[in-house]
Amino acid sequence: MTVYKVLSDIVEALRTIHLEHEAIRAEMTTKEDLAREAAAIREDLARETAAIRSEMATKEDLTREVAAVRAEMATKDDLAREVAAVRAATKEDLAGLEAVMRREFEVVHKEIRGLALEFEAFRHDTKVTLDMIGELMARTTRHEESIADLDRRMNRVERHLKLKPLPNRPGDR
């Protein structure tokens, strides 16, 4: 195997690594889009929660007004039944809201977990790529040192024997 062949293999490996690196970058852009989408979902959930809380405050205001009117018209027992019904309805509304929020949080949690796993895979692949580049660089350095050693030995032998230098190609004289 000639030095040029080794260098050609190194260049081809570096090209391949570069193409893989570009593919990983494109994949990371997709992951960033997913992260932005997850953030948008969180914002939507926060807005919906605020709207539901506002609606719940309105329901509480209406409940208070109804209670005041009924207090004037009804007995204490009637009033107690109405308050119990409002509390039950409010608890049901809160339970429904909590169920919706839990489902949404589970979806977001799964997406974040998936992103974390993909990032770890990317980090591992990057480390492997860097290890390969380091090995290629070490091999190149060893080959360069071997070529320099051979060149020095050849010069020493030529000086010692005081011969004409050898031709580079078989047809040269």
Side-chain angles (χ1 to χ4, degrees):
M1 183 178 275
T2 65
V3 172
Y4 293 107
K5 176 66 176 155
V6 170
L7 290 175
S8 172
D9 290 345
I10 290 170
V11 167
E12 185 59 32
L14 288 173
R15 281 187 188 131
T16 303
I17 289 169
H18 176 71
L19 292 174
E20 290 174 358
H21 180 69
E22 290 300 318
I24 289 170
R25 275 190 178 166
E27 185 177 319
M28 284 307 294
T29 301
T30 302
K31 290 176 183 175
E32 289 171 359
D33 291 342
L34 285 174
R36 281 193 292 274
E37 188 175 314
I41 289 171
R42 284 189 206 111
E43 289 175 9
D44 288 344
L45 280 173
R47 275 189 242 113
E48 288 177 10
T49 302
I52 289 172
R53 284 185 180 154
S54 173
E55 183 180 323
M56 293 304 291
T58 305
K59 283 184 180 180
E60 289 175 6
D61 292 341
L62 289 174
T63 302
R64 280 187 234 119
E65 289 178 18
V66 166
V69 170
R70 293 206 183 211
E72 293 174 5
M73 296 176 7
T75 64
K76 289 182 180 180
D77 292 337
D78 291 338
L79 184 59
R81 279 190 290 261
E82 289 295 322
V83 169
V86 168
R87 283 185 181 158
T90 302
K91 285 181 182 177
E92 289 174 11
D93 289 344
L94 286 174
L97 172 64
E98 184 178 352
V100 168
M101 287 178 64
R102 282 190 183 178
R103 283 192 302 270
E104 292 297 326
F105 282 131
E106 285 174 5
V107 168
V108 170
H109 181 69
K110 286 178 185 177
E111 289 178 1
I112 289 172
R113 185 180 303 145
L115 287 173
L117 292 174
E118 288 177 15
F119 178 74
E120 284 300 319
F122 167 74
R123 201 174 91 184
H124 173 66
D125 292 346
T126 302
K127 183 184 181 313
V128 169
T129 302
L130 290 174
D131 288 345
M132 289 171 51
I133 290 172
E135 180 63 28
L136 288 172
M137 291 172 68
R139 284 184 185 176
T140 302
T141 302
R142 284 195 301 269
H143 288 302
E144 289 173 353
E145 290 171 358
S146 296
I147 290 169
D149 287 345
L150 287 173
D151 196 31
R152 281 193 300 276
R153 286 181 185 172
M154 203 167 102
N155 286 338
R156 229 181 307 146
V157 168
E158 285 178 356
R159 278 193 312 261
H160 179 70
L161 297 176
K162 297 192 183 208
L163 296 174
K164 294 191 315 188
L166 294 175
N168 288 337
R169 286 180 256 141
D172 292 346
R173 289 194 178 191

